[in-house]
Amino acid sequence: MPVAALAGASGFVGTALRRALADDGYELRLIGRDGTDARWDAPDAVRRAVDGADLLVNLAGKSVDCRYTDANRDEILRSRLATTRALREAVADASSPPSLWLNASTATIYRYALDRPQTETGGEFGTGFSVDVARAWEDEFFAGELPQTRRVALRMAIVLGDGPATGMLFRLARLGLGGPQYDGWWFSHRRYRGIGPRPTGDGRAPWHRSKGGQRFSWIHLDDVVGAVRFVRDHPGIEGPVNLAAPAPSDNRTLMATLRRVVGMPVGLPAWRVMLEPAMWALRTEPELVLKSRWVLPGVLTGAGYDFAWPSLEPALRNVWRGIRRR
């Protein structure tokens, strides 16, 4: 029986992947704060969980669905670097290291883009907090020599499923607030300032007159699982891989689609001056709907991956049916 070591299995992506790997016949070794087989504060147990595994998957890290207070900013960065470093050291020490290590990353590593899509080969990194977290995370992941282990960084776009980001979008649509979101001026703050060993940006929060045209890159949860299986079965794939559907949308189209899916005929538009206090009340950040993420899955499509959910509306309808059945 093959063995998979899985870190960060408690989130909605981790839960789905845990179920899929079990269905594929893997013996699972779970690593986490309350891990069944290893806890982060027990490095010897982490090494035992990794040693002899065929596959290692790391999804650990504090959720970014929060306000970027100083404490949350620090923990978002620390949790990603510390867990990735612990696993890298465990792989380096293993007598029988995993042949494949998949580590979560984020498509937010790319710049705000309205002019062209970002791919693994031609994409340009942005600046500021979210980008610095992603870059430091990948630097930690790819550090050092692990000659027996293929490493793949999964740069995930917003995952559509029964998770916090999708839930917030559906709530906005159902409440009649499912119009386009317009960026614009807001009082100066430093929540998005750079962080880590090489902080970038000028410290000021950016804003753009995108008029609801900011791009929305996404991927259905089923295709996250499908992409993991595909990468596993294609040994020529290594390095960064964009996990994003091949047909990104824009904010205006996204919100109109959400209204159709939930059956809400109207949706009030929202400007940043409205979004900032609303997101403060929801304890999250307006970056989710205001940043233009235009990301294409160059590696996956180039290798022949067939997306189960390539188009936005069928994907959202599938997720909505699942939520309503709960």
Side-chain angles (χ1 to χ4, degrees), residues 53-112:
D54 301 278
L55 171 66
L56 170 60
V57 183
N58 178 30
L59 303 173
K62 176 178 171 57
S63 172
V64 296
D65 183 31
C66 63
R67 295 293 287 180
Y68 292 168
T69 63
D70 286 352
N72 284 340
R73 282 165 43 91
D74 290 344
E75 182 59 15
I76 286 170
L77 179 63
R78 186 211 65 80
S79 61
R80 284 158 174 73
L81 299 193
T83 54
T84 301
R85 183 180 306 116
L87 292 173
R88 183 166 51 78
E89 291 172 351
V91 172
D93 290 343
S95 59
S96 180
S99 58
L100 173 61
W101 178 8
L102 304 174
N103 208 75
S105 182
T106 173
T108 303
I109 198 170
Y110 298 112
R111 66 174 173 85
Y112 185 106

Side-chain angles (χ1 to χ4, degrees), residues 195-267:
I195 197 173
R198 293 175 295 158
T200 61
D202 58 12
R204 294 178 295 180
W207 62 275
H208 307 81
R209 294 194 183 280
S210 53
K211 301 179 181 178
Q214 61 268 30
R215 305 295 294 191
F216 178 78
S217 289
W218 58 276
I219 185 168
H220 192 288
L221 181 59
D222 289 351
D223 280 312
V224 173
V225 173
V228 165
R229 286 169 165 154
F230 185 84
V231 169
R232 176 197 63 194
D233 297 338
H234 287 74
I237 297 176
E238 60 183 342
V241 174
N242 291 344
L243 265 57
S249 181
D250 59 35
N251 177 263
R252 187 183 300 277
T253 303
L254 165 69
M255 301 313 293
T257 306
L258 284 164
R259 294 196 303 271
R260 285 196 300 273
V261 169
V262 303
M264 175 57 70
V266 297

Side-chain angles (χ1 to χ4, degrees), residues 36-205:
T36 304
D37 302 291
R39 293 165 51 102
W40 294 117
D41 57 3
D44 288 343
V46 173
R47 291 188 186 97
R48 287 193 297 271
V50 168
D51 201 351
D54 301 278
L55 171 66
L56 170 60
V57 183
N58 178 30
L59 303 173
K62 176 178 171 57
S63 172
V64 296
D65 183 31
C66 63
R67 295 293 287 180
Y68 292 168
T69 63
D70 286 352
N72 284 340
R73 282 165 43 91
D74 290 344
E75 182 59 15
I76 286 170
L77 179 63
R78 186 211 65 80
S79 61
R80 284 158 174 73
L81 299 193
T83 54
T84 301
R85 183 180 306 116
L87 292 173
R88 183 166 51 78
E89 291 172 351
V91 172
D93 290 343
S95 59
S96 180
S99 58
L100 173 61
W101 178 8
L102 304 174
N103 208 75
S105 182
T106 173
T108 303
I109 198 170
Y110 298 112
R111 66 174 173 85
Y112 185 106
L114 288 172
D115 55 334
R116 66 178 180 85
Q118 307 293 296
T119 65
E120 299 90 343
T121 54
E124 299 169 302
F125 291 164
T127 59
F129 171 67
S130 297
V131 173
D132 288 352
V133 169
R135 293 182 69 171
W137 198 5
E138 290 194 5
D139 286 346
E140 186 65 57
F141 174 51
F142 288 116
E145 296 293 328
L146 300 176
Q148 299 180 65
T149 301
R150 176 167 58 108
R151 286 180 277 187
V152 177
L154 304 175
R155 291 179 177 170
M156 279 184 262
I158 292 173
V159 180
L160 301 184
D162 192 7
T166 316
M168 188 195 74
L169 292 170
F170 277 127
R171 279 198 305 275
L172 289 173
R174 293 182 70 191
L175 292 172
L177 303 175
Q181 284 95 30
Y182 299 116
D183 202 352
W185 177 86
W186 183 248
F187 299 101
S188 179
H189 65 79
R190 292 176 56 79
R191 299 194 308 276
Y192 301 161
R193 69 189 184 280
I195 197 173
R198 293 175 295 158
T200 61
D202 58 12
R204 294 178 295 180

